[in-house]
């Protein structure tokens, strides 16, 4: 059975698989909100059930600065570049100049550690669009391990990569496509906007590795929109559905510490949020409400037999073997 939640987290379970659910919530002395939790078989889960998601705060330690930097390049390619090995455009990074000159310099320094050819001379500047593009076979070979060609869909190899590479990727991706939004009165958040929902689901899982819970929302259905063309004239274009991943509550502070930004403007705005807030942000509950349960075709499943009951993290949820 496939279980979907309102926050975007999803999991496929066998009917007798035990999953951790929140059965009640109350307040203890001092006003803190505390949930009462219990194990329940998946076949008892329905719309409205509150599932518990994993809280991994404080469990990740750095291992490799080189992997972090190369992960950052990968995030930049996913957000601001392209990956099409079968096309003349190949794999490239693109930076708007002069605003992102420091990011372009950083990318160039990292790429030069990847065994580039003697003909590599840095980026190519486009005077019309005021962009700097960096392209090299070394970058292409690296990116091919983690992103699908053309679509730039995130492969499982990236989701399962070491913490340093994943952390670097997340910073690079948010540097490219992330925003810091809101104010103290209406609420503050870090957001990532994409047309690829599968990529946002992958990012959501990766963020949870660092104790950062998030929510994915549909912002726009697929349809037709009037957009400027190459001549700066407006015409109708077919547009994909658009989604946004939102990091809010006390997850913002965890994001700043564990992921952060390289982009100076975004970094400064995030620091302003976390340093000048008049009150503490709401605490993350690490729960997600079930919005749909779908029975799917019979599939082969594998059972692990252990000496005693053990909790594991499955797609961000707490399940028991």
């Amino acid at each position: 059975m496939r279980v979907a939640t309102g926050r975007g987290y999803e999991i496929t379970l066998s009917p007798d698989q035990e999953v951790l659910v929140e059965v009640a919530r109350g307040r203890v002395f001092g006003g803190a909100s505390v949930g009462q939790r219990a194990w329940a078989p998946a076949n008892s889960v329905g719309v409205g059930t509150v599932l518990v998601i994993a809280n991994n705060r404080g469990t990740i330690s750095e291992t490799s600065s080189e992997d972090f930097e190369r992960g950052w390049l990968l995030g930049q390619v996913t957000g601001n570049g392209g990956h099409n090995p079968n096309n003349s455009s190949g794999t490239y990074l693109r930076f708007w100049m002069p605003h992102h000159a420091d990011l372009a310099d950083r990318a160039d320094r990292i790429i030069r550690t990847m065994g580039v050819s003697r003909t590599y001379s840095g980026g190519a500047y486009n005077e019309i669009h005021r962009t700097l593009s960096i392209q090299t076979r070394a970058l292409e070979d690296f990116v091919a391990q983690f992103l699908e060609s053309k679509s730039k869909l995130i492969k499982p190899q990236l989701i399962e990569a070491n913490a340093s590479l994943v952390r670097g990727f997340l910073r690079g991706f948010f540097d490219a496509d992330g925003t810091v939004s809101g104010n103290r009165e209406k609420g503050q958040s870090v957001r990532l906007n994409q047309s690829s929902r599968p990529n946002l689901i992958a990012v959501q899982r990766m963020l949870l590795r660092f104790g950062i819970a998030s929510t994915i929302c549909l912002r726009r259905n697929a349809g037709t929109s009037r957009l400027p063309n190459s001549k700066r004239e407006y015409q109708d274009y077919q547009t994909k559905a658009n989604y946004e991943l939102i990091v809010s509550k006390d997850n913002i502070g965890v994001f700043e510490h564990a992921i952060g930004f390289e982009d100076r403007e975004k970094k400064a705005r995030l620091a302003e949020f976390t340093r000048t807030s008049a009150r503490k942000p709401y605490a993350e509950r690490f729960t997600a409400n079930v919005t749909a349960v779908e029975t799917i075709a019979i599939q082969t499943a594998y059972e692990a037999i252990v000496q005693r009951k053990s909790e594991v993290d499955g797609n961000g949820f707490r399940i028991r073997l």
Side-chain angles (χ1 to χ4, degrees):
M1 52 193 292
R2 183 175 294 115
V3 180
T5 70
R7 300 188 69 171
Y9 296 102
E10 299 178 353
I11 189 171
T12 300
L13 299 164
S14 58
D16 58 349
Q17 177 69 65
E18 287 187 299
V19 60
L20 192 60
V21 303
E22 185 174 279
V23 295
R25 177 163 287 273
R27 294 193 177 276
V28 296
F29 180 77
S33 178
V34 177
Q36 181 182 344
R37 299 171 173 183
W39 293 99
N43 58 14
S44 69
V45 170
V47 174
T49 299
V50 181
L51 297 184
V52 176
I53 56 178
N55 179 355
N56 297 314
R57 292 184 180 178
T59 62
I60 300 293
S61 59
E62 276 304 310
T63 56
S64 169
S65 59
E66 180 181 279
D67 283 343
F68 173 83
E69 291 183 332
R70 295 186 179 187
W72 182 82
L73 282 179
L74 186 63
Q76 285 286 306
V77 170
T78 309
N80 275 344
H83 175 55
N84 190 351
N86 300 319
N87 190 290
S88 59
S89 60
T91 301
Y92 62 89
L93 292 161
R94 182 167 292 158
F95 299 94
W96 297 94
M97 304 297 280
H99 180 67
H100 288 149
D102 55 336
L103 298 183
D105 288 342
R106 173 180 170 80
D108 178 64
R109 289 195 302 271
I110 298 171
I111 286 174
R112 290 181 185 276
T113 69
M114 300 174 68
V116 295
S117 66
R118 294 181 179 179
T119 59
Y120 174 76
S121 59
Y125 183 66
N126 185 310
E127 293 185 0
I128 297 175
H129 299 292
R130 297 181 180 179
T131 58
L132 182 76
S133 298
I134 300 177
Q135 183 178 359
T136 173
R137 180 59 183 271
L139 180 64
E140 180 177 305
D141 292 343
F142 173 70
V143 171
Q145 301 175 64
F146 303 104
L147 299 181
E148 298 286 352
S149 177
K150 295 183 181 180
S151 66
K152 297 188 291 185
L153 284 175
I154 294 170
K155 293 182 178 180
Q157 288 87 335
L158 176 55
I159 300 174
E160 299 163 3
N162 69 65
S164 296
L165 183 73
V166 170
R167 179 172 168 261
F169 167 79
L170 291 172
R171 180 178 293 189
F173 201 1
F174 275 87
D175 272 335
D177 285 349
T179 57
V180 182
S181 308
N183 52 54
R184 282 177 288 179
E185 290 72 30
K186 295 185 178 180
Q188 302 161 339
S189 60
V190 176
R191 299 172 179 242
L192 185 66
N193 191 286
Q194 294 285 297
S195 294
S196 172
R197 189 170 183 270
N199 270 5
L200 285 188
I201 290 175
V203 168
Q204 187 177 52
R205 286 182 60 187
M206 287 188 276
L207 285 171
L208 203 57
R209 284 180 64 174
F210 300 89
I212 304 165
S214 59
T215 300
I216 297 174
C217 297
L218 173 66
R219 287 303 182 202
R220 184 189 68 231
N221 288 310
T224 303
S225 299
R226 291 192 65 80
L227 300 169
N229 58 22
S230 59
K231 299 179 181 179
R232 298 184 179 180
E233 298 173 348
Y234 281 85
Q235 67 182 70
D236 290 334
Y237 287 94
Q238 291 296 315
T239 53
K240 298 178 180 179
N242 183 260
Y243 303 89
E244 197 163 48
L245 180 146
I246 303 170
V247 176
S248 60
K249 300 181 179 179
D250 63 356
N251 293 292
I252 296 178
V254 183
F255 179 93
E256 181 184 36
H257 175 73
I259 309 300
F261 288 103
E262 211 68 45
D263 183 289
R264 288 179 294 182
E265 290 186 7
K266 295 176 184 178
K267 185 176 183 178
R269 183 164 172 77
L270 180 59
E272 181 183 359
F273 277 6
T274 56
R275 303 291 184 271
T276 62
S277 181
R279 56 176 174 79
K280 289 185 178 181
Y282 291 112
E284 173 60 51
R285 292 182 175 180
F286 289 97
T287 58
N289 287 22
V290 175
T291 55
V293 178
E294 176 189 6
T295 301
I296 58 178
I298 294 176
Q299 297 181 2
T300 301
Y302 299 89
E303 185 177 75
I305 300 175
V306 295
Q307 291 182 338
R308 59 181 183 275
K309 294 290 186 179
S310 301
E311 294 183 36
V312 297
D313 182 338
N315 270 27
F317 296 97
R318 303 307 297 167
I319 60 177
R320 188 161 70 171
L321 299 177

